[in-house]
Amino acid sequence: MNKTSRLLVLVLLLAAFAVLVAACEVDEDEAADPEDPEEEPDDPEEEPEDPDDQVRIGAMFPQTGDLAFEATEALEGVETAVEMYNEDGGLDGTPVDFVDADAPDPEAGTSAVRQLVEEDEVDVIVGTYASAIASAAVPAAQRLDTPYLETTAFAASITEGPENVLRTTISSSDLGAYSVEFIETGLADELGESPEDMNVAMVYTDDEFGTSIADAALEAMEDSPAELVVEESYDAGTISDFSSTLLQIDEEDTDVVIHVSQISDGILFWRQAQELDIDIPAAVGAGGGYGQTDFAEPLGDAADGIFNIVPPTPGSIDTEALTDDAQELLARYEDTLEEQGYDQGVYTDWGFMGTWVFLNEILPNAESTSIDDLMEAAQQVDVAPEDSITGFGFEFAGPDHETPGQNLRAEPVVQQWQDVDLQVVFPEEFAVADYLNVPLPDWEERDEIEEPDEDDE
Amino acid sequence: MADQTGAGPAVAEETTAAAAARRWGPMRVVAALAIIAVLLVFPYLLPSGFWVDMAVQVLIWGALASAWNLSAGYAGGLSLGHAAFLGVGAYTSTLLFLELDISPWLGMFAGAGVAGLLGLVLGAITLRLRGPFFVLATLAFGFVVHILAVNLRDLTRGAAGLVIPFDGGWENMLFASLEAYWYVGLGLVAVVVGITLWLERSRFGYYLTAIRENEDAARSVGVKVVRWKIVAAALSAALTAVAGTVYAQFVQYIDPDSTTEFELSVQIALIAIVGGMGTAFGPLLGAVVIIPLGEVLRAELGGGPSLMVYGALLVTIVLAAPRGALPWLQQLVRAARRRREVSA
Amino acid sequence: MDLALQIIASGLLTGGIYALLAVGLTLIFGVLRVVNFAHGEFMMLGMYGAFWMWALWDIDPYLSVFAVVPAIFGLGLLTDRLIIKRTIGAPEVTVVFATLGLSILLQNAALTVFSADTRSVTTGYTGTALSFGEVRVSIPMLISFVVAIGLALALWAFLSRTRFGKAIQATAQNRDAAALMGINVQRVYMMTYAIAVAGAGAMGAIAAPVFSVYPRVGLSFVITAFVIVVLGGLGSVLGAVIAALLVGLVQSVVGFLVGAAWAEIAYFVLFIAVLVLRPQGLFGRRGAEVYQGA
């Protein structure tokens, strides 16, 4: 017994070692191709400059671990953009090369940057979905003089310092501020209350996503006439009971809850609200779980009327209002996704459109793939909202802006769950549906899945 | 099961090793010098920065596992909360650097001091606990520190984490070249392994070994079990914090998940166990095997499957060779030598 | 007043859900002296079992329990044979890391097979509640509570009333003496482990209408369950039930008064305090905590 098991371990270790050696050899072969037009500060040997060579894009997203689910959607969007771009002939007739790396945490993020830049010799990195990973990876890429395209992470800090980043999606500070603005303007009107009388509860996950949006919203609340009555953060991975939070919300006569959540906690929150018979007149999510069908579907009718504030997506806007070109692009994009067997999530859409704009509007107009040249080319980008399948346009902040590289047209919209579908309801010029359930009906008045609740004692 | 290789062979090992040292003295010196020379130029032998990056990670993880081993391997304090000390070290030096502009070289000692104190207190209150109770207490401590790191947002900035702005220079322990981190990591490992070796040869080490082998027996022959266990716990915590500072300066970004999470505590322990608990070089060997293996598995198989293999490997190793790879390799070498001596 | 009652009711309900998980854990802990880190994963598998039977064949989770329990029981037997059996009497590091490895293995097997998607069961009674005056009691939570407490008590009765239950208890108290008395210790270990993890599977199935399932869902539950096991006293089934309710209460009360994040700190600190001051647990027998390792 003892001998055989030890033998087994030896075999396993040897196998591991063999895999390792094999991997090294493969990588060495790859590294032998001279193709990186950029200087690598760490490499004593000069790589031959060859600007005509293929451009290589490296995508890094957390494909393993807690964050993998939506991040993989984003990666699939990025990949689809590159694929379609190459179908169109690529850059001056040369297809763009694509590699991806897994970056489940910040340390792996910096390693992935190094792997992509030094092993795979990519020219541009596309990421990241998770803000914490981007926070480590973007500066790491800057140290290796590599430009970074952020398509899906919201944290404000990403564009508040590094000079090598272009972010096609919204910043959390805009998202948080916009949530409060909507409550003061659109929602107060609709509820028939003046903003001074609004009691707001802020409930959010204690992860990077939740806190970055909540911080911005809390800051905006300070200048708002509306009053903050509850502030509660929690761990989305361990929460098993929202009743204490819900009872506080009830006690404080809350008019609207801003809830930044993942999926399972979002569902639990609403199921418990129903069970405890706590009526919340309005609820505003900011992406995360509130943007997912997996959140709305189990809740069914109970989700009808819940708001979600995010940058728009093709699923939520009136795509008829897009230009013909954009509609054609959308159809082709959806076909390609289907061919690949990929699901179309909101992060797929954002990952795709951000990368598509980069490939078609920035890359061809840049002298080289250096940070400076790409940033300069990005200044020329002018994509109107109706030219983009997502319904938000592209215009990048210049180097002197306080958030250089930020897409200034990534304006959020207010969506509402209506029959397990997100519909834009605010601002009016983008609205595709009327408000539903404002205020949210009392639980007792809802008939679906309603309880035999009258058999009181 | 594999426990029959208890104290007896360990004594035999000492004597054969001593005999070998006498016989192979000059050659050993040459070999040691050669190894040092290779270590000094090692990063320049690697094909690319990616491999240097991995090599630095091996050193940091090796140091973490070695520090864990000081308490777990030598004093029987099997901790599943060591990430807490890693986090304390990383956050202390980083906050001092960001807020007060104190060099991480000094912040490192502050972090070690705070962690050492925490280790002392934790060691003192858990010293009566044995077996799984000790494991669970350290686990709970790790969770408490993690929750505090997430929620004391005024201090730690919570999940948003702390970005260390790159201001290169040795005085800030921030380097543009990866190779520099190799040398920092090498120094770190040298300190931790050096302390371990000193400990093995000191009276302190004998006490600890006695405690680990049989706590009651050690107590009965007058070893101040409690005192030595606490000292080992504090030393282990302080050194883990030092590695935490190096980690922070290397990644230049820290957040609660990447410095205090439960999974990190598991990883630290796992590396030491696979390499060989209670041996000076085992944890380092563990890092050399586990870190590249993890990377390769992830790249080859993808997330879920690679961690499945990882879990299966872990189970197999602790069942088949609970003393780890190094003692097992040593045994192989000894057996081979004995066979040669017999035939000679 | 009503508010206070509501907080207490909610806390007790949540505690009831923890109870069944903690009872199995304390049993394995008490009898095999194994810290079963993989316990939460068996619950996760139970949840997936209930989810898929609901999604594919529209079977109510309370019915699928009857399929989930034997399946997880079988898995428990297999696990014991392949892994747990080999850790008995092994150094402590083997025991801890074998079950940790198993936990990593099962969690990622679920990730590979089921993906990281969050999946939820919706039934006719989802979101429904009973009103007792002003206090509302969730029907699915109440059912889980009743089933969990009922199963826990049944287990307690089984241990104290039946022959095999007594054999289990005897083995827990002294393995060698039990073996001398003609008890098949290996079989006792195997059955204990399988029964306990089947309990975790049962809890997963009955909790499916309340909680969503994803591969990592077990971890947070098992950590809470460890706290409960230690509070309740090693190997004490009734202690575990009471401690589970206590932890639910602490969570709910501290959550309301201070905040959700601090509720967790509260019970971890309580946990360390109990470990240090009263290692036999709040309800355990003195001396039971003396660990008889390798």
Side-chain angles (χ1 to χ4, degrees), chain A residues 2 5-6 9-10 12 16 19-20 24 64 102 104 106-107 111 114-115 118-119 132 135 143 204 206-208 215, chain B residues 2 4 48-51 53 57 150 153 159-160 166 178 247 252-253 255 292-293 296 298 303 313 320 328 331:
Chain A
N2 225 338
S5 29
R6 283 181 185 191
V9 173
L10 178 66
L12 284 173
V19 172
L20 197 68
C24 297
T64 57
D102 180 19
E107 186 195 31
S111 300
R114 244 161 224 148
Q115 184 196 340
E118 299 188 341
E119 273 306 89
S135 299
R143 291 195 289 279
Y204 55 101
D206 62 13
D207 53 23
E208 159 37 78
D215 283 349
Chain B
Q4 59 271 59
S48 74
F50 170 70
W51 292 100
D53 181 284
Q57 282 190 46
V150 169
R153 265 187 277 155
F166 185 76
L178 270 177
Y247 171 88
Q252 291 155 38
Y253 171 79
D255 70 346
L293 184 68
V296 170
R298 202 166 67 198
L313 265 178
W328 173 71
Q331 206 176 325

Side-chain angles (χ1 to χ4, degrees), chain C residues 12-17 140-150 206 245:
Chain C
L12 290 177
L13 285 180
T14 318
I17 293 204
M141 290 281 267
L142 185 64
I143 296 174
S144 309
F145 179 87
V146 170
V147 174
I149 301 289
I206 61 170
L245 300 178

